[in-house]
Amino acid sequence: MTTAERHIYAAGNTARGYRTLYDSVLAGLDRIYLLTGVVEGITSGLIETMGKELAKKTHQVEWIHSPFMNGQYDGIVFPELKVAIMDYSYPRIWRPQGPGVKEIQVNLQTALIPDKLAPYKDKIAGWYEKIFAYDQQAYTAYGEALRIHDDWEAIYISNLDPQAANQITEEVKELFFGQGSLPKESRVRRMYLGAATPAGPVDHIMKLTDQLDKRYFIKGRPGSGKSTMLKKLVEEAVKNGMDVEVYHCGLDPHSLDMVILPEKSVAIFDSTAPHEYFPSKETDEVIDMYARAITPGTDEKYSDQIHQIKTRYTQKVKEANAYLVDAKDLREQLNAAYWDATDQTRLRAIGQAILSVLARNN
């Protein structure tokens, strides 16, 4: 059996704090197993083990990556089974819809050996306090970076031709929706395009779009209308009854970076730094917002000002990233303590129990 794998982010370290889109990502599922009682270093490994086992029995798997620890997972979704297995450790908590019915909590503390964890008691409290402090410092720095980015955008907004930008949007609308609507209600699913992580910005754009028939790479500058166009395309998709995947910006959740229309097998995305890509297939196309909607010579006219803004922005992003690295180092110590105090046989038994239940119900 060939299994199609997707990799996404459902939560992020943003300029507006830690923000999740779990309600949207997990919508429509029948059961969500919530792994509680320990730390992400324990839950991620269990999620990966169970995910690989279940992947052998289904055609679709969606890995949800952690924005805190590169290479770890916040969860896994099996669309065909309508099941998800999720890390429910701090701060990954969201509003339940049916505890015990839809959300099934699995307490992994039963796999802990108390005598082995007890020596870490004071350290654990201190680690959590420092991790929280570093995360908040990162969010503050990202917030300052976003305000600097607003100054960057303002230059191009003041030199934007609204009519030209609207014309581009109308052209894309015609390409996507000119053949009529579908007789159903649209399903809108929201995720993050990528995430700010301890290793810097990470995304999975190319993997998410590689199998699609058509990709549009939007080029431009901050403030050249990229996100506005994507928002209008989402509105149009909803009006036309088409399912749409909406990918929010990892820095500013209020901004959009990519839209995928699965039924059209098409993606359109902001292809500028820090997620800059270039066409690699014959069917790929570029939409250049700067060339078509910005006053010619804007880059040159404001070059000194833009350079200063870019420098300030880059410095602030690096500062924020450094705080994430500090938090990651403490998370690794926290995870190591819990790993040392975990009975691996019991942990595997919990995983097998979940898999057995899923096998009976599917």
Side-chain angles (χ1 to χ4, degrees):
M1 177 185 292
T2 302
T3 302
E5 295 193 359
R6 283 160 52 90
H7 296 265
I8 67 167
Y9 285 95
N13 300 304
T14 83
R16 304 180 190 279
Y18 175 73
R19 293 289 184 272
T20 76
L21 295 168
Y22 286 128
D23 286 344
S24 183
V25 168
L26 302 175
L29 300 180
D30 291 338
R31 278 165 295 150
I32 304 169
Y33 290 88
L34 304 176
L35 308 182
T36 70
V38 290
V39 294
E40 61 195 355
I42 306 301
T43 54
S44 176
L46 189 58
I47 287 169
E48 184 173 6
T49 298
M50 289 189 290
K52 288 180 178 179
E53 184 64 30
L54 276 173
K56 302 173 185 176
K57 305 173 183 178
T58 184
H59 294 93
Q60 294 177 303
V61 177
E62 199 166 57
W63 295 94
I64 302 176
H65 288 252
S66 166
F68 299 117
M69 299 286 288
N70 298 91
Q72 292 193 355
Y73 301 103
D74 279 350
I76 188 167
V77 178
F78 299 93
E80 292 176 317
L81 306 179
K82 292 191 174 182
V83 167
I85 303 171
M86 301 294 299
D87 184 343
Y88 205 53
S89 65
Y90 176 83
R92 307 164 186 82
I93 298 172
W94 61 96
R95 184 182 63 187
Q97 295 183 6
V101 180
K102 181 171 183 176
E103 296 92 3
I104 302 167
Q105 292 199 20
V106 180
N107 188 355
L108 300 187
Q109 284 188 6
T110 57
L112 293 179
I113 304 171
D115 289 345
K116 284 193 174 183
L117 194 61
Y120 294 103
K121 179 181 177 181
D122 293 336
K123 285 187 176 181
I124 289 172
W127 284 330
Y128 268 117
E129 183 177 351
K130 290 179 181 178
I131 287 170
F132 178 82
Y134 282 136
D135 284 346
Q136 295 308 308
Q137 287 174 299
Y139 303 148
T140 297
Y142 282 128
E144 293 172 359
L146 182 59
R147 285 187 285 275
I148 296 170
H149 197 272
D150 289 342
D151 294 338
W152 196 353
E153 288 187 350
I155 293 173
Y156 293 99
I157 290 173
S158 65
N159 287 275
L160 176 69
D161 182 341
Q163 291 184 334
N166 289 336
Q167 177 60 34
I168 298 170
T169 300
E170 292 304 315
E171 291 173 6
V172 177
K173 281 184 183 180
E174 180 62 26
L175 283 172
F176 291 0
F177 312 110
Q179 296 179 349
S181 60
L182 297 178
K184 65 177 182 62
E185 185 175 345
S186 169
R187 183 195 178 199
V188 179
R189 193 164 183 249
R190 297 181 180 275
M191 294 155 275
Y192 282 102
L193 179 77
T197 78
V202 177
D203 67 74
H204 301 285
I205 297 175
M206 293 295 99
K207 290 181 181 179
L208 286 166
T209 64
D210 184 59
Q211 299 303 313
L212 298 177
D213 293 341
K214 192 74 176 178
R215 301 187 298 189
Y216 292 89
F217 296 62
I218 310 175
K219 299 296 182 178
R221 306 290 188 274
S224 59
K226 301 185 297 293
S227 177
T228 299
M229 178 169 64
L230 293 175
K231 289 176 181 178
K232 290 180 179 179
L233 293 177
V234 173
E235 293 175 359
E236 197 68 19
V238 172
K239 284 195 291 185
N240 283 272
M242 292 184 184
D243 294 344
V244 56
E245 294 180 358
V246 183
Y247 293 80
H248 291 249
C249 171
L251 177 66
D252 181 8
H254 294 173
S255 182
L256 303 187
D257 277 347
M258 180 164 74
V259 169
I260 292 179
L261 302 175
E263 292 149 329
K264 290 280 188 179
S265 192
V266 63
I268 179 169
F269 56 92
D270 180 340
S271 184
T272 58
H275 35 79
E276 184 175 20
Y277 295 97
F278 298 91
S280 58
K281 301 193 297 185
E282 289 185 1
T283 54
D284 291 341
E285 288 191 36
V286 170
I287 298 175
D288 194 331
M289 298 296 290
Y290 180 81
R292 294 191 58 185
I294 299 294
T295 303
T298 297
D299 281 349
E300 292 77 13
K301 180 179 180 180
Y302 297 92
S303 61
D304 290 343
Q305 188 176 344
I306 291 170
H307 175 73
Q308 292 174 7
I309 291 173
K310 287 175 69 174
T311 299
R312 289 166 49 218
Y313 174 78
T314 300
Q315 289 174 342
K316 195 54 67 173
V317 168
K318 286 182 177 179
E319 177 185 328
N321 188 75
Y323 288 128
L324 290 184
V325 172
D326 289 338
K328 175 191 72 74
D329 292 342
L330 294 176
R331 281 187 165 93
E332 288 177 342
Q333 296 178 54
L334 181 65
N335 290 339
Y338 274 84
W339 184 262
D340 183 56
T342 298
D343 184 321
Q344 298 300 320
T345 300
R346 292 183 196 172
L347 189 66
R348 286 193 295 270
I350 293 172
Q352 286 302 315
I354 295 173
L355 291 175
S356 297
V357 172
L358 288 172
R360 290 198 300 270
N361 293 331
N362 294 283

